[in-house]
Amino acid sequence: MALYHFSGQIISRSKGQSAVASAAYRSGEKLYDERYGQTKFYKRDTQPIAFILKPDHAPDWCLNRERLWNAVEKNEKAKNSQLAREFNVALPIELPLDEQIALTKDYCQMAFVERGMVADVAIHLDDKHNPHFHVMLTTRPFDEQGKWGIKSRKIYLYDEEGNPLYTKSGYRANRKENVTDWDSKETMHAWRKGWADLTNMYLEKNGFSERISEKSYAELGVTKQPTIHEGYVARQMEKRGRMSDRVQINVLIKKENAAKELLQDVKEEIQLSEESDGIHRLLSPDEKKQIAALSKDLKLFINYDNVIEKKRILVNWLTNEQTQALFSEEPSRIETILAQDQKVEEAFALLTKESNRIVSRYYPSLQTNHLSQHALNRLAEVTIQRNQPLTQEEANRLLTEETQYELTHYLKIIAKRPLETYDEYNAKYERLQNQVDTFKKTHQLSHFSPDTLQALTPAQQGALKAIVKDLERTKLALTVINGYYEAKINRQFPTLDVAALTIQERVLYGDTIDYYGNRLTLNALENITTQPLFKYDDAAYELVARYVQEPKKRAEIQAILAEMYPTLAEELANPRMRTLVFNELMEKGIVADERLTAYVQSVQHAPAAEVFRPRKVSLLFQTLFRPEKLEQILNHLAYEEAQQIHETEREHKKALRKKKHNRMKGLRGNR
């Protein structure tokens, strides 16, 4: 029976451990440890199946086990350095050896290598009842030039006025920020869940009904007692006829669990016969086959989060390959990447169909006309994960959050640290383009090609590659931002001529739609230039005014806002929404214009500060809803409102007919 075991540890010098010795023990190879001047070798009855996987940008010498871990030992200077991260993972005994190997490689590639780690894998087959693999992972990333990167950076702290903070000893206050998310609880959870998902996919593909789960027995509602880890030594003792306490304890636990499992199966049969109201995947048999094929081709369990992550990896991979093609005439992998991207888009299309069905079935009263497909996909994904529909309040909060952070979400596909505004990306694009032009002039290049770039030194090629990659990512970000705002405006105002709008106007429309939502009704827009909208009451604006004017009491006022106006508190933390709140505050005249502008400049870095500069809400509406644009918008809203009235009347008549039918049925029954 397939069992779930996924345990990890840090191999650290502070514990007296050696990366070279650890690799020798797990791989069964003889390795020389340069730091300690010793050869490490641990003989095994059955030689492990060992191999190394590396990211594309990591140097080829990483594939040499002895050189890899000696390099780690040499590069980690501190006496308490973390040398490697290691996981011990049980393989399903149902699968044949070739499938166990394929599963191990697929998982390590997807979970670790594509995140930037070098993975040293050893599959142990000493005990046919306990096949498992060990994977040792580098804790330090490689940069684009194939050199060791940093693990963390120092971030200096400032107060709300932008002044440096100091410790009691007089040193600059700072905190450590990891450059990767490899140490986070969320990543560990994703690794554990990813192993269960991929293993279950392999079991299903090979015709086995067994499934594993990363959840504990308590989380699954199972009363089983978990077995304890036996280890290699305990197993060898049992083989030689000697008693091992650890193995004997597990024998007793397994017997007890077998009895409990039988009882659990009976209970589940009874429960399934009494209720069937869980959340089910809404895919047709043909769509399930397509999902299974895509899972195999993309080497991942198909759900929304995994497909989004795969898209991010492919975008970065494509950028790297396109840049590399400038410097070499060797065959590139661009066609392979584009083929993978096509399969990702097919997966998106299937998940979109399923998401719309789930939302339609479990949220029938939800008005989806103005919601993006991303928001609907996220609602469906969370519903599947929780195995029950969200409450109306939970669904509204989720949709609001996803709507406000959707652009950032998509920009993360392109860059790990997306900028805030179109203007910032545009300025960056122009700066990078100027750098490219300057490079061409400096090195007397009329165009870029493998032939013209051969004369450059490796250092010059590396500098140019970095510029070109950044330029391509920035160009893609500009395209994404344009498309995002165009789609958002078209959903809300289909008759508005978006092509005639500047990008700044598109951003303003998009932010206004996010902020006011369903308040942008036909009646409100007909009078909007003379009667500007205000989202909150005067008491809320008074609190915001105090928040701006009383720096020492901001934490206290923030707590009051979080309790009385939770949505407003969230919007103040979001630069784009905060500007719209300040627009209304400026219109009310509660705070001086200069004071609000000064506050924005103190908390927002240039050039974003200028973009987020507040202005009276009446001026904003005059810009967005000029007579010719307002007429385009009102034509659509008038038609839509008429349709809603018609639909409401139709539903009302239907309810009256049903009520009459039930009354007549009751009268006939009484006779």
Side-chain angles (χ1 to χ4, degrees), residues 468-592:
V468 172
K469 281 182 186 178
D470 218 359
L471 183 67
E472 289 302 314
R473 288 195 179 105
T474 306
K475 188 192 299 184
L476 186 55
L478 290 170
T479 303
V480 168
I481 294 173
N482 261 311
Y484 166 79
Y485 282 111
E486 182 176 350
K488 182 182 286 290
I489 296 168
N490 280 332
R491 283 197 303 271
Q492 186 79 12
F493 305 133
T495 51
L496 183 61
D497 184 9
V498 179
L501 301 177
T502 66
I503 183 60
Q504 287 77 13
E505 287 176 325
R506 295 184 193 187
V507 172
L508 284 175
Y509 269 109
D511 291 347
T512 304
I513 290 167
D514 282 345
Y515 184 72
Y516 290 105
N518 57 14
R519 290 177 175 81
L520 297 173
T521 62
L522 176 62
N523 182 59
L525 289 181
E526 284 177 330
N527 303 292
I528 201 161
T529 53
T530 57
Q531 299 176 22
L533 282 175
F534 290 99
K535 189 171 179 179
Y536 298 101
D537 57 33
D538 288 344
Y541 296 121
E542 290 290 347
L543 282 170
V544 176
R546 286 183 57 203
Y547 181 85
V548 173
Q549 296 170 321
E550 302 176 30
K552 294 181 179 179
K553 294 186 177 180
R554 277 179 191 155
E556 175 188 336
I557 298 168
Q558 182 77 14
I560 297 172
L561 284 167
E563 182 177 351
M564 297 181 62
Y565 303 96
T567 302
L568 176 56
E570 291 174 4
E571 287 173 338
L572 283 176
N574 182 329
R576 310 205 75 90
M577 298 299 102
R578 180 173 59 213
T579 297
L580 290 162
V581 175
F582 284 180
N583 288 346
E584 297 180 347
L585 201 61
M586 193 176 281
E587 186 74 36
K588 291 279 185 181
I590 301 174
V591 180

